[in-house]
Amino acid sequence: MKTPGLLAQRTKGGKWRGVVAFAAVALLVLAVAPVTLSPFRLELLAKYLCFAIAALGIGLAWGKGGMLTLGQGVFFGLGGYAMAMHLKLAEAGPGELPDFMVWSGVEELPLLWEPFRQPWFALLMVVLLPGTIAALLGLLVFGRRVRGAYFAILTQALAAAFVIWLVGQQGLTGGTNGLTNFSSFFGLDLASAQDQRILYFIVAIVLGLLYLGFRQLVASRYGRLLIAVRDGEDRVRFLGYDPAVVKTVAFTMSAVSAGLAGALFVPVVGIISPALLGVVPSLELVFAVAVGGRYALAGAVLGAVLLNYAKTTFSENYADGWLYLQGALFIGVMAYAPKGVIGLAGQIRDFVALRTRGPARRIPAQQPPPVPPGPSADAPAEPVEPVGPVEKEAVA
Amino acid sequence: MNAFMNQLPIGLSIGAVLLLIALGLTFTFGQMGVINMAHGEFIMAGAYTAYMLQDWAGRQAVLVALPVAFAVAGLMGLLLERTLIRRFYGRPLDTLLLTWGVSLVLQQVARDLFGAPNVQVKAPTWLVGGGEWLGIRMPYARMFIFVLAMLSVAAIWFYLSRTKQGRRMQAVMQNRELASCSGIATSRVDQRTFFIGSGLAGVAGVALTLIGPVGPALGTYYIVDAFLVVVAGGLGRLQGAVIAAFVLGLLNSYVEFWSDASLAKVVVFAVIIGFLQLRPQGLFVLRSRKLT
């Protein structure tokens, strides 16, 4: 609390900078990209933006709430399958079976599929399925104060179990192949470049709205509580709040965003299959958030787009090299830039300031030491993560 | 009834493998707060060690490989701890992501060295086939794995409770600051823990060559389940890991037996969530007066 004036100034300046940056990015995505990119590249960008929507959820749950969710693929998949089931049924026509069921010898439409004929039911399920499952899991797990790494391990186990189940239910879910071959999406012809462009706009607008919504949420009283839970769960409990509820809400929101992402992914890319949802794809999403910068929601979006772009570009040319690069990048980011690309500017500024003006000018709250005190520091149950200046003030 | 009982050795051997893997995880997690996703790749390294030794040792490769794989995987773990993980103590979630990056690289290395297709390790002739006991078919290979795991547990128990080094390890696990104040070189204890834990993963890898083929992604099939063992058993507790590993192994194989394989993992997950409602910190809790 040494420099309240400075702090206020920073926040205010940051706010305006944020608005300008958002407007610039929105202009780029909504006006420049559709005109300049080829239809093929635009479709790819739409795919990246779908991943960005799911990553946004991780940014909220992990970056702001400290819950490392390694099961984002599950919720992505629930939303995706709900949408895909409806599209499949709409394609088959009333009373008919989807093509893959005919191939695998299913004679009657499974009961589970029946309600997905209704578009409103499918759309509701896109939100409700991931939301309910996340809320239930969250209440059960957080309610018993299972947290930190335990929670991460549980979500990962969920992702593994979900995928194995999906693959096993050949007649119900299409097994390993998943659901594919969609031709239309609520009247849009998925083969036409024009309609794909409309789809791109839908994805971009959903991402923008979700981003603004999450930003608002983080700025609200609830958001402050969420960050407080991240930094000191027990302290929040002593103040009379129930951290389990706070965390469950954020976890549920994150699952819903993944569900939406999955539902949009299906028409954009034209497939949903277990290979897209397992442990590795879920971790890749988290990785994207880490690369972009986990402490800012914008970092999640940036990371998802950047990383998926890099993946497409590299694996087109050298598939094996990509895995080395990805691994090395990951190790490098975790070791040297825990705040990701977004935090890099601040890190460099501090580094330069430290070099040119000496250590006296360094503001400790601004830059956490990149290397924690080493093995002598005890391993606490909660992650000791670097906090930004605002949070630091709030805790003190 | 017979089919039911025949499932027993399968469940026990899966539990034994899970146990060997989970022992290393539970100690590195409990002592250092490190969640080592690259642990699965130490399993893989152990399995490939047996594969490499075949040229030299022929069908006895599995036996020869046990100590060698322990050393190879252990040294890999030590190297990882010294170069990377050391910088991350106190940030468990970050170690999870960091070591996942390491595991990606290691898998790719294995793919480049040994090729992507699975390879086979020939079991010694005396481990082929099986006997019958009380009407239960007992494959020798699976019994061997079970015995191997039991011997390892006994060795670990002896190390932890009867040797100076092991007691230091327990002290560091219970209260790092106090142990450090009492003159224990905690960072050396950490290195030893990592070496032993990773080495056991290597042994698990050799055991796995007896029941299946070896591939670069071998570790990924077991790492998630092994972590569940750690969660259910309680951090850093030997008894907890033993019980949880066998319960999970048996549960897995029996649910697969009764319904279909795809449901087994879902059931196991639900059981664990249910179990955590009763005991959120796992079966056995490491009691400590350490401030958290």
Side-chain angles (χ1 to χ4, degrees), chain A residues 81-82 84-90 97-98 100-101 108-118 121 169-174 179 182:
Chain A
Y81 272 93
M85 280 156 81
H86 172 67
L87 294 186
K88 272 282 170 217
L89 286 172
L97 285 178
F100 80 93
M101 284 192 185
E108 208 177 310
L109 193 66
L111 207 60
L112 184 68
W113 275 66
E114 200 54 63
F116 283 91
R117 279 196 194 281
Q118 309 296 331
F121 183 83
Q169 307 295 317
Q170 177 77 33
L172 197 63
T173 62
L179 301 176
F182 311 107

Side-chain angles (χ1 to χ4, degrees), chain A residues 371-380 384, chain B residues 28 31-34 80-82 84-92 95 176 186-187 189-191 194:
Chain A
V371 183
S376 63
D378 189 32
V384 181
Chain B
T28 47
Q31 183 178 327
M32 290 162 264
V34 170
L80 181 66
E81 198 268 351
R82 284 288 87 187
L84 282 173
I85 289 179
R86 201 159 58 104
R87 308 158 143 265
F88 285 84
Y89 284 140
R91 292 156 66 190
T95 59
R176 180 176 291 272
T186 54
S187 96
V189 175
D190 288 345
Q191 290 169 39
F194 234 92

Side-chain angles (χ1 to χ4, degrees), chain A residues 307-395:
Chain A
L307 209 72
N308 281 294
Y309 172 72
K311 189 178 178 179
T312 324
T313 323
F314 273 93
S315 50
E316 266 170 14
N317 303 319
Y318 2 78
D320 293 354
W322 166 246
L323 275 168
Y324 281 121
L325 187 72
Q326 193 183 18
L329 187 67
F330 208 17
I331 297 166
V333 166
M334 295 318 291
Y336 298 108
K339 285 176 163 187
V341 175
I342 293 264
L344 216 53
Q347 237 178 321
I348 291 169
R349 199 173 50 225
D350 287 356
F351 183 76
V352 172
L354 198 67
R355 275 297 159 90
T356 50
R357 288 177 229 151
R361 292 283 303 216
R362 191 172 171 194
I363 304 165
Q366 223 166 343
Q367 156 75 42
V371 183
S376 63
D378 189 32
E382 278 294 277
V384 181
E385 283 169 343
V387 284
V390 182
E391 293 91 342
K392 195 82 181 175
E393 294 285 329
V395 170

Side-chain angles (χ1 to χ4, degrees), chain A residues 62 140 144 149-150 153-154 156 158 164 168-169 283 294 320 323-324 330 334-336 372 375 378 384, chain B residues 29 32 35 37 87-88 90 94 97 100 108-109 111-112 176-177 224 227 235 262 265 269 277 280 290:
Chain A
W62 181 37
L140 283 175
R144 296 298 292 160
Y150 279 64
I153 291 168
L154 287 176
Q156 184 166 54
L158 179 67
I164 291 172
Q169 307 295 317
L283 264 165
R294 69 182 93 153
D320 293 354
L323 275 168
Y324 281 121
F330 208 17
M334 295 318 291
Y336 298 108
D378 189 32
V384 181
Chain B
F29 191 5
M32 290 162 264
I35 304 180
M37 292 291 286
R87 308 158 143 265
F88 285 84
D94 287 7
L97 298 173
W100 182 63
Q108 191 55 36
V109 169
R111 231 169 263 134
D112 287 347
R176 180 176 291 272
E177 274 86 29
V224 176
F227 269 121
L235 272 189
S262 69
K265 301 277 178 213
F269 181 76
Q277 298 304 302
K290 179 170 70 180

Side-chain angles (χ1 to χ4, degrees), chain B residues 150-166:
Chain B
M150 286 292 101
L151 288 177
S152 307
V153 168
I156 292 286
W157 173 83
F158 183 82
Y159 178 76
L160 278 178
S161 56
R162 292 289 182 273
T163 68
K164 213 174 213 172
Q165 288 185 3

Side-chain angles (χ1 to χ4, degrees), chain A residues 45-120:
Chain A
L45 185 59
K47 178 175 140 185
Y48 305 156
L49 293 184
C50 287
F51 285 128
I53 295 174
L56 201 57
I58 296 180
L60 180 74
W62 181 37
K64 303 294 178 187
M67 293 165 274
L68 180 55
T69 156
L70 300 178
Q72 197 73 337
V74 174
F75 306 118
F76 188 86
L78 287 171
Y81 272 93
M83 179 58 75
M85 280 156 81
H86 172 67
L87 294 186
K88 272 282 170 217
L89 286 172
E91 207 147 292
E96 294 295 318
L97 285 178
D99 46 11
F100 80 93
M101 284 192 185
V102 179
W103 300 332
S104 54
V106 177
E107 311 214 316
E108 208 177 310
L109 193 66
L111 207 60
L112 184 68
W113 275 66
E114 200 54 63
F116 283 91
R117 279 196 194 281
Q118 309 296 331
W120 62 265

